[in-house]
Amino acid sequence: MKENHKVDELLGNIAKLKSAIDEKDEIIVGLAKSKEEDDEMIRGLIKSKEKDDEIVKGLKESKEEDADMIKGLIKSKEEDADMIRGLAKSKEEDNEMIKGLAKSKEEDNEMIKGLEESVEEWKKTVDDIYNSTTWKLASKFTRGQTKRKKN
């Protein structure tokens, strides 16, 4: 009986070991499936990383293009500022020219007024000459003009 008991004990131990081995085999199978899933997830993550790297590369290129565009806009802004300064200077010069033209117009008006006064004085002088007794006396002998022709 001792031997049977030992055999039974050994058989019990073998059954326990077989059960433990079966459990371990199930765990190994589960781990193998989990490893396959992990490997598939890793491949997906690698593809995702590659796509992210492409996006990052595109964003870097876009950033460089934006920087170039900003430089161009800054240069354009500086050119516009130069043009505005030039236009302001031109406006000041035009205003000075307008002031000069206004002054010249005033001077011309004064000159015209002076000329008109001179013409009136000349007319008066000619009329005085024609009305003078000396002229009237001289024109009788020379048959000269006795009155100014008025236009």
Side-chain angles (χ1 to χ4, degrees):
M1 283 261 234
K2 249 186 172 186
E3 279 185 28
N4 275 343
H5 180 51
K6 282 209 174 207
V7 171
D8 287 337
E9 192 178 318
L10 283 174
L11 287 175
N13 284 341
I14 290 174
K16 286 180 188 175
L17 286 172
K18 187 171 190 297
S19 174
I21 289 173
D22 288 343
E23 284 179 29
K24 299 287 182 188
D25 284 344
E26 286 179 28
I27 290 173
I28 290 172
V29 169
L31 288 172
K33 286 181 182 177
S34 176
K35 183 183 180 292
E36 288 175 18
E37 291 172 358
D38 289 350
D39 289 344
E40 190 173 327
M41 188 184 310
I42 289 170
R43 284 190 294 274
L45 290 171
I46 290 171
K47 287 180 183 179
S48 175
K49 183 184 179 298
E50 289 171 357
K51 289 179 184 177
D52 289 350
D53 289 344
E54 288 179 32
I55 290 171
V56 168
K57 182 181 175 184
L59 289 172
K60 284 180 182 177
E61 290 172 1
S62 177
K63 180 182 173 185
E64 290 171 5
E65 291 171 0
D66 289 350
D68 290 341
M69 189 185 317
I70 289 170
K71 287 177 187 174
L73 289 171
I74 290 171
K75 183 178 179 182
S76 176
K77 179 182 173 186
E78 291 169 357
E79 290 171 354
D80 289 350
D82 288 343
M83 183 172 46
I84 288 169
R85 282 189 289 276
L87 289 171
K89 183 178 179 184
S90 176
K91 180 182 175 185
E92 289 174 11
E93 291 169 354
D94 288 351
N95 286 337
E96 288 296 318
M97 185 173 32
I98 289 169
K99 287 177 186 176
L101 289 171
K103 183 177 179 183
S104 176
K105 180 182 175 186
E106 288 176 21
E107 291 170 355
D108 289 350
N109 286 338
E110 298 233 356
M111 185 173 57
I112 290 169
K113 183 179 176 185
L115 289 172
E116 288 172 343
E117 290 173 357
S118 293
V119 167
E120 288 301 317
E121 285 180 31
W122 178 82
K123 288 178 183 179
K124 184 179 176 193
T125 302
V126 170
D127 286 342
D128 288 347
I129 291 172
Y130 280 130
N131 289 332
S132 72
T133 53
T134 307
W135 183 264
K136 287 182 183 177
L137 186 62
S139 64
K140 283 185 181 182
F141 295 110
T142 59
R143 295 184 182 210
Q145 184 177 345
T146 60
K147 293 217 184 226
R148 179 173 58 85
K149 294 179 183 175
K150 296 182 181 179
N151 295 352

